């Protein structure tokens, strides 16, 4: 039996496979298809303090090997989550990671302060990178100072570890990553979706009501992988890789470049059991490679040395 | 509780661009109800990446089969139309909340109003209503004769006490829209409830008529879906909950909604 457990420094998890925020609802919707306790972690849908309706439809467009969404973070708010959802997740023995959102710095703080009083949450993922909730795709993760400010504030407000989720829609993600680390983020997860646009050529209208949205799915995997690699080279805190993961081999690519764990997103829509298949594939891969622990594989990526140009 | 299974195609019938595909899927047949749907992975590795939703057009517990009826209109339905009996396909289902008909009893007439491929869930519903000995009037409309391929099966299986057909070009039945026919037909005082599925414009018109006649109705809504089982929040529509409209998931809280709960236009 291969040891798939991974250490994020502040917590050891049974395996490196999480469901990504916004792709598994509040976790409970997945119960017909899988046992939540078999996952390394369940990152539940982004939570604001108050309930929200989200964006008007249409919210989704399928693109080549990808999905463009402008859902806009509809949600039940922290009170209903703590009262109705959290006890059920606890009963399922799920490792719960709550994705924390806010319209203001103050709201981020209120969300973690409220949730800190409720047991059954392993840590928080700080969502400073949703592209769909602010005009023009502006979000704190596009700016190093805003990132530093919010992460510092949340870090002071909570007893729990925080993992900051970064946006890929920046010129240099390592600058934002460093800001989050310096502000005290215990881990980083990346990437959120890439801003994208789809046009209905018949009508000349955008296909999404929100005009543009965030692209996810297999199409973004190489883009995400490059960024994860760069950030792993830059920071000391653990990095969790996200972006287009569908198979065990996709997950292994992220682990190879140094991600301690990965989140699986869009693939859950296609196959709600995909995370368990990925876990099996990791087991098989390690057995084949005669690795007793997945941690021996993490960071194994060795770029070839550039040949001397003549 | 819905399930993710690999199902073998048992039978396939086709009429031009319309297909009726039956799957051996006892796990799904045991749970299915009219108005529910399945998410089908039309290509094992993609594209398209996402599954496609299809209303159940039939389910037979004893045979362990379920069926879908669809029109070839795009990439997904094109690929799906190429499968042959004996081949396997991945399904998730049964999903969503179907029609409510458990409390209906004779006497009284039930109106089933379907436009084009929208006949699919009504074909299944009619079977269940007839099993209960209820009186069923089916209105079935399309652009032309070839858009009404299930008319023969409806007649043969005696699923309608009265089958009213309409085509826009007049090639079969009444000439005009199914909603015109509905308006012209003398509404029986025995009419109790309507069940509707079809293009948005048609359903909107039917909703207006039902409101005028003060007749309850249930509508099966169509939407592009990311997942089909409630996790992506992509398929929402404004639906009345209590006193206010909310963005509600068609896949989870629907796809069947009551006429008075659906927001049909921006003004409502």
């Amino acid at each position: 039996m291969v040891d798939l457990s991974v250490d994020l420094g502040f917590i050891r998890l049974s395996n490196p496979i999480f469901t990504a925020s916004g792709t598994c609802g509040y976790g409970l919707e997945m119960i017909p298809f899988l046992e939540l306790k078999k996952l390394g972690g369940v990152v539940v849908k982004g939570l604001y303090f108050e309930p929200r309706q989200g964006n008007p439809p249409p919210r989704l467009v399928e693109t080549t090997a990808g999905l463009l969404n402008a859902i806009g973070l509809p949600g039940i708010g922290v009170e209903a989550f703590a009262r109705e959802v959290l006890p059920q997740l606890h009963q399922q023995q799920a490792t719960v990671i709550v994705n924390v959102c806010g319209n203001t710095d103050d709201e981020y703080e209120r969300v973690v302060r409220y949730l800190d009083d409720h047991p059954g949450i392993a840590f928080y993922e700080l969502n400073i990178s949703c592209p769909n909730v602010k005009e023009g795709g502006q979000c704190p993760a596009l700016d190093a100072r805003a990132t530093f400010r919010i992460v510092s504030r949340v870090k002071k407000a909570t007893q729990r570890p925080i993992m900051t989720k970064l946006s890929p829609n920046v010129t240099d993600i390592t600058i934002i990553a460093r800001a989050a680390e310096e502000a005290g983020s215990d881990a980083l997860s990346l990437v959120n979706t890439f801003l994208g646009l789809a046009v209905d050529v018949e009508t000349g209208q955008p296909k999404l009501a929100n005009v543009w949205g965030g692209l996810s799915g297999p199409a973004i995997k190489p883009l995400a992988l490059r960024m994860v690699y760069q950030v792993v080279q830059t920071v000391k805190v653990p990095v969790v890789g996200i972006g287009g993961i569908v198979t065990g081999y996709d997950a292994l690519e992220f682990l190879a470049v140094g991600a301690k764990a990965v989140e699986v997103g869009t693939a859950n829509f296609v196959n709600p059991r995909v995370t368990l298949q990925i876990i099996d594939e990791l087991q098989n891969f390690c057995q084949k490679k005669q690795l007793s622990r997945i941690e021996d594989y993490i960071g194994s990526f060795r770029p070839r040395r550039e040949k001397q140009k003549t | 509780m819905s399930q993710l299974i690999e199902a073998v195609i048992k039978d396939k019938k086709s009429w031009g661009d319309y297909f009726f595909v039956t799957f051996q899927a006892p796990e799904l047949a045991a749970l299915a109800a009219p108005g529910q749907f399945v998410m089908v992975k039309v290509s094992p590795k993609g594209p398209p990446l996402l599954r496609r939703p299809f209303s159940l057009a039939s389910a037979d517990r004893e045979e362990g089969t379920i069926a879908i009826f669809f029109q070839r209109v795009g990439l997904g339905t094109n690929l799906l139309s190429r499968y042959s009996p004996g081949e396997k396909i991945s399904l998730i289902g049964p999903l969503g909340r179907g029609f409510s008909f458990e409390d209906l009893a004779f006497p009284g007439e039930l109106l089933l109003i379907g436009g084009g491929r929208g006949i699919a869930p009504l074909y299944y519903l009619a079977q269940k209503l007839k099993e209960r000995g209820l009186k069923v009037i089916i209105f079935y409309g399309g652009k032309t004769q070839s858009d009404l391929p299930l008319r023969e099966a409806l007649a043969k299986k005696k699923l309608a006490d009265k089958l009213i057909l309409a085509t826009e070009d007049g090639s079969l039945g009444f000439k005009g829209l199914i909603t015109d026919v509905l308006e012209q037909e003398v509404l029986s005082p025995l009419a109790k409830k309507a069940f509707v599925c079809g293009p948005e414009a048609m359903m909107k018109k039917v909703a207006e008529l039902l409101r005028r006649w003060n007749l309850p109705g249930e509508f099966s809504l169509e939407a592009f879906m990311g997942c089909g089982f409630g996790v992506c929040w992509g398929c929402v529509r404004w639906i009345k909950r209590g006193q206010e409209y909310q963005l509600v998931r068609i896949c989870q809280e629907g796809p069947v909604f009551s006429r008075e709960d659906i927001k049909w236009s921006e003004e409502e």
Side-chain angles (χ1 to χ4, degrees), chain A residues 21 50 65 115 152 182 191 265:
Chain A
S21 180
E50 303 290 344
L115 292 176
S152 317
E182 280 170 15
V191 295

Side-chain angles (χ1 to χ4, degrees), chain A residues 22-25 29-30 32-33 45 53-55 57 59-60 62 66-67 71 74 218 268-273, chain B residues 1-4 41 48-52 92 224-227 229-234 236-238 246-247 249:
Chain A
T23 67
C24 60
E29 298 91 329
M30 303 299 277
F33 308 109
K45 189 161 178 59
Q53 290 293 318
N55 289 329
R59 291 174 165 183
L60 293 178
E62 183 169 346
L67 176 64
I71 306 287
N268 292 311
F269 300 160
V270 185
N271 175 3
R273 274 207 291 267
Chain B
M1 198 106 130
S2 41
Q3 301 194 28
L4 167 60
K41 184 76 180 95
L49 173 68
L50 300 172
R51 288 170 185 266
R52 295 289 185 264
I92 300 177
F224 182 82
M225 293 178 184
C227 64
F229 48 91
V231 297
C232 81
W233 287 82
V236 296
R237 181 158 173 161
W238 290 106
Q246 294 184 3
L247 284 169
R249 292 165 296 180

Side-chain angles (χ1 to χ4, degrees), chain A residues 197-234:
Chain A
L197 174 68
V199 177
D200 182 334
V201 294
E202 297 294 334
T203 62
Q205 299 277 304
K207 286 187 178 177
L208 294 173
N210 200 46
V211 185
W212 56 46
L215 183 67
S216 64
I220 72 165
K221 193 189 75 176
L223 305 171
L225 190 59
R226 184 268 295 178
M227 290 183 165
V228 169
Y229 175 53
Q230 280 184 301
V231 169
V232 167
Q233 301 297 309
T234 306

Side-chain angles (χ1 to χ4, degrees), chain B residues 161-173:
Chain B
D161 294 275
K162 194 171 170 190
L163 176 60
I164 298 159
L165 305 174
T167 52
E168 287 175 42
D169 65 359
S171 55
L172 191 71

